[in-house]
Amino acid sequence: MFPRHNQRESQLKARVAKKALAPLLLALVCAWPLSASADPAPTPTYKQAVETALDIVTTAHSGDAAAAQKALVALEAGTGRSQPEIVADLAMRPPDLEDAGTRLRWLLDALASPAATTNPARAQQQLHQVLSMHRYDALHQPPTLLDRLGQWVRDRINDVIRFLFGGSGAGPAIPALYFYIVGAAVLAAAVVIIFRSTRGRLAEGAAARSQFGPGAPADFFAEADRFAAAGDRVRAIRALCAGVAATLAGEQSWVGSPLTVREIFQHAPDPVRLDPLLLPFEAAVYGGRGVDAATYERALAAAAPFRKPTQEAAA
């Protein structure tokens, strides 16, 4: 009795299990086509994308925006944004299908016959012959002194950047261009200072001129007399130079001219005759030397020919 009861119980459990598995199997069967259809289509090759776009453009009528959009999608699927001219033709409203078709044909022809050479050794020889021409001599020359200086400056700036922020790049992301600009500005300032110093226009020269504003030559000569009477022969000789410069180059020359005193004196009929005035002036202003009485008398005599006409004009 018990064995038959156990057999019936087993058969009942098997039926219940089949009924429970049936919906699960049905769900798996229904989901299988869906998952298969959801797989993405293979990406077309570059040439296939061009051919597909060309077929669409060729069969479309002029101004067909829908066909242009379809061709654009097909083209970008294989070429990305590597053909901006064709993409622009297809994206226009209305699209320029004629130009797009022409460009697609050219592109397809280029893909069919890629650039290559059957004799690499000969091609290399021809390249060497071209690079050996005189016009390419600069490619074979060593860097000039200016190039080496610029490279040295860039290296030092990079060293400063690495010192400040470390070589790992964990510091602030300051573009190196900013440091190059600062370095160029410093070099430019140094060049200006050196250039001005060679022309005798440093602070001492500027102070020598700033003591006298623009004025008539007679006023400068009168100032020279007052300074000489007071025993200040350095300021007196400066005033003499200002009077001569104003006579030669105008009343604004002492404060407004970019020329040095020596360059202004070159406009004199006989510049050598002004050396007894010019040399003590330069020694006093740029060399910090004093002016003795004898030297001042010679300077006064050198300035006399330029002083007399102004005195006559003032009378």
Side-chain angles (χ1 to χ4, degrees):
M1 180 176 179
F2 289 104
R4 293 183 61 185
H5 177 74
N6 292 337
Q7 184 177 4
R8 289 180 180 177
E9 185 176 358
S10 299
Q11 292 176 353
L12 180 61
K13 289 182 179 180
R15 292 175 185 175
V16 171
K18 288 181 181 180
K19 291 182 179 180
L21 289 176
L24 181 60
L25 293 175
L26 180 61
L28 290 175
V29 171
C30 294
W32 175 258
L34 294 176
S35 61
S37 62
D39 292 337
T43 303
T45 64
Y46 202 101
K47 186 177 181 181
Q48 289 174 347
V50 175
E51 290 175 342
T52 303
L54 180 59
D55 291 340
I56 297 173
V57 169
T58 303
T59 57
H61 60 81
S62 179
D64 190 346
Q69 183 62 29
K70 184 178 179 181
L72 179 60
V73 173
L75 179 67
E76 291 184 339
T79 65
R81 286 281 179 172
S82 62
Q83 299 298 326
E85 294 85 1
I86 302 176
V87 170
D89 287 340
L90 296 175
M92 292 175 61
R93 291 296 178 267
D96 191 350
L97 297 179
E98 182 178 358
D99 186 70
T102 302
R103 292 180 181 275
L104 286 168
R105 292 187 187 91
W106 289 346
L107 178 58
L108 196 59
D109 293 341
L111 293 174
S113 56
T117 177
T118 58
N119 192 344
R122 180 175 177 80
Q124 185 67 27
Q125 181 182 4
Q126 291 177 346
L127 176 62
H128 179 71
Q129 291 176 352
V130 171
L131 293 178
S132 300
M133 298 173 65
H134 180 67
R135 69 179 69 178
Y136 300 110
D137 287 346
L139 297 176
H140 312 291
Q141 298 296 330
T144 63
L145 179 61
L146 186 60
D147 294 335
R148 292 197 293 270
L149 176 61
Q151 184 61 47
W152 182 86
V153 172
R154 289 192 293 270
D155 291 342
R156 299 294 74 77
I157 293 175
N158 291 331
D159 291 341
V160 172
I161 295 174
R162 285 191 292 269
F163 175 77
L164 293 177
F165 306 117
S168 62
I174 301 178
L177 178 62
Y178 293 160
F179 293 92
Y180 293 148
I181 293 174
V182 173
V186 172
L187 288 178
V191 169
V192 170
I193 293 175
I194 295 172
F195 177 74
R196 288 176 66 88
S197 65
T198 57
R199 292 174 61 93
R201 296 184 59 84
L202 288 175
E204 293 179 349
R209 290 194 174 189
S210 63
Q211 292 182 1
F212 305 102
D219 297 334
F220 291 130
F221 290 128
E223 288 288 332
D225 292 340
R226 285 194 292 271
F227 289 136
D232 191 350
R233 286 186 290 270
V234 173
R235 297 180 69 183
I237 205 168
R238 289 173 177 171
L240 284 178
C241 287
V244 174
T247 303
L248 292 173
E251 298 180 0
Q252 297 286 339
S253 61
W254 190 251
V255 294
S257 175
L259 303 177
T260 63
V261 177
R262 179 177 289 272
E263 290 169 337
I264 293 176
F265 280 11
Q266 292 299 317
H267 293 85
D270 189 1
V272 178
R273 290 180 176 270
L274 289 173
D275 284 349
L277 173 61
L278 177 63
L279 298 179
F281 167 80
E282 292 179 337
V285 172
Y286 307 123
R289 299 180 182 178
V291 180
D292 55 34
T295 301
Y296 183 74
E297 290 298 328
R298 289 192 294 269
L300 191 62
F306 301 90
R307 181 173 185 173
K308 185 177 180 180
T310 59
Q311 290 177 337
E312 292 177 354

